């Protein structure tokens, strides 16, 4: 006998399994407050709130009606700085103007994305009297460097933060001498990018009780300009984990030795740097500078040599029974890449030429999530490298010759592997992409140049793979607004939620192009559109009404639109 059932009769386990296929905002929008039982079932989605990649209608409803009701449950919230100028005044006042303690009194972690430095400096003032807020995670911070910003962030929430991080995509900081008398003993874990190595002294003074420090130095030079900094570094007595990433400076053993001397309690040490000092990759010399407290050492070193023939004979000295290492020759750059195994770096940069020297196996690279492959000359190089990185989440491939079409040779060897976790790919150059997408079935975010996209959309096999995968597409150097490529995009990418187009000629008027894009997505899934180009003065003066008059959008529809700095943004 057939027994009918409803969604509500399903057990919690099945409902939560269904929710795994939805975005957090979709779950809140669809299920919250339908009944008390479902509210309890989706409690976890009320603790971590991420409103990215949803329609404006869902966003508006969630902020206005759901957030006020779950405010006491929210422990982690993601805030997008790009929302501030496009959303309504009502929503803006809720998210950006009011003290955060009124919105989320139990907040423990705040993730901030795509803020400018000026916006962040003002927004920090809304973060106070939050008794449980201890972590601030800042990503994609852009704009000019402001001297007071770093210290303002470290003192956020009445100096109650203990964890602060700026990702690699955020700005680099200078730390001026006028703040050296200030310290922030509350900070125990910090991830930060510095413009120059000389600012390490002031940084160490700011964080006397730091326990975990992840430091990136972006200075580009053949040598560190101010050598005296290494003899005046303040002690970090509580530091147990230290990671130094500095791939644009040539470091010496003596410099690293001075840094380690001020870290007497260090237990875990990671280096990602380059050097011409052979002592730094010699096991006996390295052991002499390590703190006695050290338990774990990992490094990824680019060692540059002057005479290829004489240096190859010394590769055996790279091996160490205390710290197992792998060395790969990068002959065109006269360097070895030497790293401990397993390699636990989250981000790695390689060149295509090392593909032939990588050892077999992949588990020694399983912790790497972000990979950049530069100077690529063939698709085969990419596959040879990728087979060693099974847990990648983001990939950037950069061709040596951006005008040449790179494809897989017809008689190339078969390489069997999968990249199930790869979600984002950024492409610089023109590649035949089917072999790559065939091993990465879950890519949903693609950044690609116009010429490469044209090649991709002419290949039916690749289009079939991407048909339901890609939800965000960024197209760079769009050359022809009369091209029928936009029609092909609307046909192929049927799950697209966010489309970004950057015109090669930013002075071209895009009024008609915008309307064409809107017409193609009429009746389809709601889309967020960003186009870099010029709108006519008449259009810009009354943009919302222009959209309503010339498209299928109606006055009562829920959408937001703006044009700033030659960016047209529509969220509907």
């Amino acid at each position: 006998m057939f027994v009918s059932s409803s969604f509500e009769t399903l057990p919690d386990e099945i409902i939560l399994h269904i929710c795994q296929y939805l975005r957090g905002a979709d779950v809140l929008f669809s299920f919250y407050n339908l009944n008390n039982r479902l509210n309890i079932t989706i409690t976890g989605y009320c603790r971590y709130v991420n409103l990215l990649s949803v329609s404006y209608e869902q966003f508006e409803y969630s902020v206005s009606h759901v957030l006020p009701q779950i405010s006491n449950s929210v422990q982690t919230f993601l805030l997008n700085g790009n929302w501030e100028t496009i959303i309504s005044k009502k929503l803006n006042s809720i998210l950006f103007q009011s003290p955060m303690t009124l919105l989320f009194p139990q907040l423990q972690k705040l993730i901030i994305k795509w803020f400018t430095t000026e916006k962040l400096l003002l927004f920090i003032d809304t973060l106070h009297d939050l008794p449980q807020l201890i972590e601030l995670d800042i990503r994609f911070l852009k704009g000019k460097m402001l001297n007071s910003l770093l210290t303002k962030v470290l003192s956020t929430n009445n100096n109650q933060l203990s964890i602060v991080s700026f990702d690699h995509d955020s700005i680099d900081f200078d730390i001026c001498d006028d703040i050296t008398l200030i310290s922030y003993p509350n900070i125990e874990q910090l991830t930060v990018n510095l413009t120059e190595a000389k600012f390490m002294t002031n940084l160490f003074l700011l964080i006397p009780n730091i326990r975990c420090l992840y430091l990136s130095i972006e200075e580009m030079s053949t040598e560190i300009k101010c050598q005296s900094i290494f003899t005046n570094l303040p002690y970090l007595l509580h530091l147990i984990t230290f990671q130094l990433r500095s791939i644009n400076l040539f470091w010496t053993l003596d410099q690293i030795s001075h840094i380690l001397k001020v870290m007497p309690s260090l237990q875990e040490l990671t280096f990602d740097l380059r050097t011409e000092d052979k002592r730094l990759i010699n096991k006996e010399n390295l052991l002499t500078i390590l703190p006695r407290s050290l338990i774990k050492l990992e490094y990824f070193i680019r060692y540059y040599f002057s005479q290829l023939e004489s240096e190859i004979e010394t590769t055996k000295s790279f091996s160490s029974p205390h710290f197992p290492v792998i060395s790969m020759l990068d002959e065109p750059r006269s360097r070895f890449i030497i790293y401990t195994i397993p390699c636990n770096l989250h981000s790695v940069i390689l060149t295509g030429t090392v593909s032939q020297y990588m050892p077999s196996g992949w588990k020694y690279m399983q912790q790497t999530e972000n990979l950049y492959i530069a100077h690529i000359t063939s698709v085969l190089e990419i596959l040879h490298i990728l087979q060693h990185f099974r847990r990648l989440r983001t990939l950037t491939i950069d061709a040596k010759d951006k005008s040449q079409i790179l494809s897989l040779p017809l008689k190339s060897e078969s390489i069997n592997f999968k990249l199930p976790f790869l979600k984002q790919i950024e492409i610089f150059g023109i590649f035949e992409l089917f072999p790559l997408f065939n091993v990465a079935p879950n890519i949903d975010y693609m950044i690609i140049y116009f010429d490469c996209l044209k090649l991709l959309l002419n290949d039916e096999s690749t289009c079939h793979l991407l048909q339901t995968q890609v939800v965000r597409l960024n197209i760079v150097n769009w050359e022809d607004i009369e091209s029928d490529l936009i029609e092909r995009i609307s046909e192929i990418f049927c799950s697209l939620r966010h489309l970004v187009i950057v015109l090669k000629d930013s002075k071209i008027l895009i009024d008609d192009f915008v309307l064409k894009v809107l017409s193609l997505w009429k009746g389809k899934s709601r889309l967020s559109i960003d186009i870099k180009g010029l709108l006519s003065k008449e259009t810009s003066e009354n943009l919302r009404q222009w959209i309503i008059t010339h498209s299928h959008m109606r006055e009562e529809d829920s959408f937001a639109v703006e044009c700033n700095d030659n960016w047209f943004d529509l969220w509907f």
Side-chain angles (χ1 to χ4, degrees):
M1 179 180 176
F2 176 77
V3 179
S4 63
S5 63
S6 67
F7 181 82
E8 295 180 36
T9 64
L10 295 175
D12 288 354
E13 292 80 6
I14 298 298
I15 292 176
L16 289 174
H17 185 72
I18 293 171
C19 288
Q20 290 178 8
Y21 293 89
L22 303 173
R23 292 173 178 80
D26 292 328
V27 173
L28 294 177
F29 180 79
S30 303
F31 301 140
Y32 186 77
N33 246 7
L34 291 183
N35 57 48
N36 288 334
R37 183 248 172 156
L38 280 176
N39 285 355
I40 295 171
T41 302
I42 64 171
T43 297
Y45 291 91
C46 299
R47 295 194 183 109
Y48 177 90
V49 178
N50 177 352
L51 300 179
L52 295 179
S53 300
V54 297
S55 70
Y56 189 71
E57 180 185 8
Q58 289 177 304
F59 177 82
E60 191 173 37
Y61 179 83
S62 298
V63 174
S64 300
H65 301 288
V66 179
L67 291 188
Q69 296 184 68
I70 66 171
S71 61
N72 286 317
S73 301
V74 177
Q75 298 175 0
T76 300
F77 183 66
L78 191 151
L79 185 63
N80 181 352
N82 290 333
W83 293 338
E84 185 175 14
T85 55
I86 195 171
I87 61 179
S88 68
K89 291 181 179 180
K90 176 186 174 183
L91 302 183
N92 184 290
S93 65
I94 294 173
L95 293 176
F96 293 95
Q97 306 300 323
S98 303
M100 191 64 70
T101 186
L102 299 179
L103 185 58
F104 305 125
Q106 306 302 317
L107 191 66
Q108 298 176 11
K109 177 179 179 179
L110 180 61
I111 304 171
I112 294 176
K113 276 190 169 185
W114 296 300
F115 269 62
T116 64
T117 51
E118 293 84 356
K119 283 183 181 179
L120 182 59
L121 196 62
L122 295 173
F123 176 75
I124 288 297
D125 291 331
T126 69
L127 302 178
H128 56 79
D129 301 318
L130 289 156
Q132 297 190 49
L133 180 62
I134 62 168
E135 183 172 357
L136 193 57
D137 182 353
I138 301 170
R139 307 174 189 177
F140 300 98
L141 178 65
K142 303 302 180 183
K144 62 181 180 180
M145 207 290 298
L146 303 176
N147 290 333
S148 60
L149 182 58
L150 180 59
T151 54
K152 187 77 173 286
V153 170
L154 298 180
S155 63
T156 298
N157 194 30
N158 317 102
N159 290 74
Q160 292 187 51
L161 294 181
S162 59
I163 303 173
V164 173
S165 66
F166 299 88
D167 72 349
H168 287 317
D169 294 305
S170 293
I171 65 162
D172 309 322
F173 286 95
D174 298 342
I175 305 179
C176 301
D177 291 334
D178 58 2
I179 52 89
T180 54
L181 297 179
I182 306 170
S183 68
Y184 300 90
N186 51 298
I187 302 299
E188 296 183 359
Q189 180 174 316
L190 177 63
T191 304
V192 68
N193 315 309
L194 298 183
T195 57
E196 296 182 46
K198 69 179 182 180
F199 295 120
M200 281 195 297
T201 299
N202 290 343
L203 176 66
F204 288 9
L205 285 169
L206 289 177
I207 48 174
N209 293 335
I210 193 74
R211 294 179 60 82
C212 300
L213 177 58
Y214 305 94
L215 177 60
S216 179
I217 299 174
E218 301 302 324
E219 182 176 358
M220 299 188 67
S221 177
T222 55
E223 62 180 13
I224 296 173
K225 300 170 185 175
C226 185
Q227 297 294 330
S228 62
I229 64 169
F230 297 107
T231 57
N232 296 307
L233 288 171
Y235 275 79
L236 298 177
L237 299 176
H238 306 284
L239 188 67
I240 59 174
T241 301
F242 179 55
Q243 178 174 310
L244 175 62
R245 180 181 183 274
S246 179
I247 61 175
N248 297 315
L249 276 175
F250 283 102
W251 290 80
T252 68
L253 180 74
D254 297 330
Q255 292 163 351
I256 298 299
S257 176
H258 283 301
I259 293 174
L260 296 182
K261 282 179 182 178
V262 303
M263 303 172 179
S265 303
L266 196 62
Q267 297 179 14
E268 297 184 11
L269 173 62
T270 303
F271 292 135
D272 183 11
L273 47 81
R274 69 175 179 172
T275 186
E276 292 177 317
D277 188 349
K278 190 174 180 179
R279 297 176 302 160
L280 192 53
I281 49 95
N282 180 276
K283 61 183 180 181
E284 285 80 12
N285 292 327
L286 196 55
L287 287 171
T288 62
I289 68 171
L290 299 178
R292 292 183 178 180
S293 56
L294 195 70
I295 298 173
K296 184 178 181 181
L297 171 66
E298 296 173 346
Y299 57 73
F300 194 97
I301 298 177
R302 301 146 189 85
Y303 170 54
Y304 290 77
F305 51 83
S306 54
Q307 296 294 327
L308 179 61
E309 295 301 324
S310 61
E311 293 295 334
I312 286 181
E313 298 175 0
T314 69
T315 56
K316 292 183 180 180
S317 68
F318 300 155
S319 180
S320 166
H322 300 283
F323 310 111
V325 301
I326 287 176
S327 62
M328 299 184 297
L329 176 64
D330 187 1
E331 191 170 352
R333 287 155 194 81
S334 299
R335 68 180 185 181
F336 283 99
I337 296 174
I338 308 161
Y339 55 94
T340 52
I341 51 173
C343 178
N344 291 319
L345 291 179
H346 287 292
S347 299
V348 169
I349 300 174
L350 294 174
T351 54
T353 52
V354 305
S355 61
Q356 58 187 309
Y357 297 106
M358 296 193 73
S360 60
W362 66 274
K363 291 188 176 181
Y364 64 93
M365 281 290 190
Q366 64 180 321
Q367 296 302 315
T368 302
E369 296 183 351
N370 312 305
L371 176 64
Y372 187 114
I373 309 176
H375 302 286
I376 298 167
T377 59
S378 76
V379 172
L380 196 57
E381 286 179 343
I382 301 173
L383 298 178
H384 274 302
I385 291 174
L386 288 183
Q387 66 180 319
H388 304 283
F389 295 87
R390 305 292 177 90
R391 296 188 181 274
L392 275 188
R393 293 186 178 274
T394 68
L395 170 66
T396 302
I397 53 176
D398 192 347
K400 183 177 182 180
D401 183 348
K402 304 291 191 298
S403 62
Q404 180 185 1
I405 297 176
L406 300 183
S407 58
L408 192 66
L410 292 176
K411 296 184 179 181
S412 58
E413 62 196 274
S414 176
I415 305 175
N416 297 315
F417 67 97
K418 289 292 182 182
L419 300 174
F421 303 103
L422 184 59
K423 303 289 285 184
Q424 174 182 324
I425 182 168
E426 187 168 3
I427 303 156
F428 296 95
I430 308 174
F431 296 88
E432 176 192 287
L433 292 171
F434 177 80
L436 181 53
F437 288 119
N438 195 38
V439 300
N442 297 313
I443 291 175
D444 61 13
Y445 180 13
M446 182 163 60
I447 304 169
I448 188 168
Y449 275 70
F450 181 79
D451 287 338
C452 188
L453 184 62
K454 283 198 300 183
L455 180 67
L456 182 154
L457 295 181
N458 284 328
D459 180 51
E460 292 300 326
S461 299
T462 306
C463 291
H464 180 72
L465 288 176
L466 298 177
Q467 195 165 12
T468 57
Q469 267 181 236
V470 176
V471 297
R472 176 164 181 163
L473 178 63
N474 290 25
I475 308 167
V476 183
N477 277 0
W478 188 287
E479 294 183 2
D480 181 10
I481 60 174
E482 302 297 331
S483 166
D484 62 358
L485 195 66
I486 193 67
E487 282 93 341
R488 284 285 288 158
I489 292 170
S490 69
E491 294 167 0
I492 298 301
F493 299 102
C494 53
S495 297
L496 202 60
R497 285 175 173 258
H498 192 178
L499 176 64
V500 179
I501 296 176
V502 180
L503 298 188
K504 188 171 186 179
D505 183 356
S506 60
K507 297 179 181 179
I508 294 177
L509 286 178
I510 60 172
D511 300 43
D512 291 340
F513 187 58
V514 167
L515 294 178
K516 184 177 182 180
V517 173
L518 283 176
S519 68
L520 290 169
W521 266 269
K522 180 181 179 180
K524 296 186 179 181
S525 60
R526 288 180 173 261
L527 185 71
S528 173
I529 301 169
D530 302 299
I531 302 177
K532 179 74 168 180
L534 286 177
L535 285 173
S536 64
K537 183 179 179 182
E538 180 183 355
T539 298
S540 302
E541 287 176 348
N542 197 351
L543 190 52
R544 183 181 178 87
Q545 186 57 51
W546 179 79
I547 291 289
I548 294 169
T549 303
H550 294 88
S551 76
H552 63 280
M553 308 290 288
R554 298 172 299 176
E555 184 69 46
E556 60 269 24
D557 286 340
S558 180
F559 72 94
V561 63
E562 70 168 350
C563 185
N564 281 323
D565 297 325
N566 292 339
W567 273 104
F568 168 83
D569 304 308
L570 176 65
W571 186 6
F572 67 98

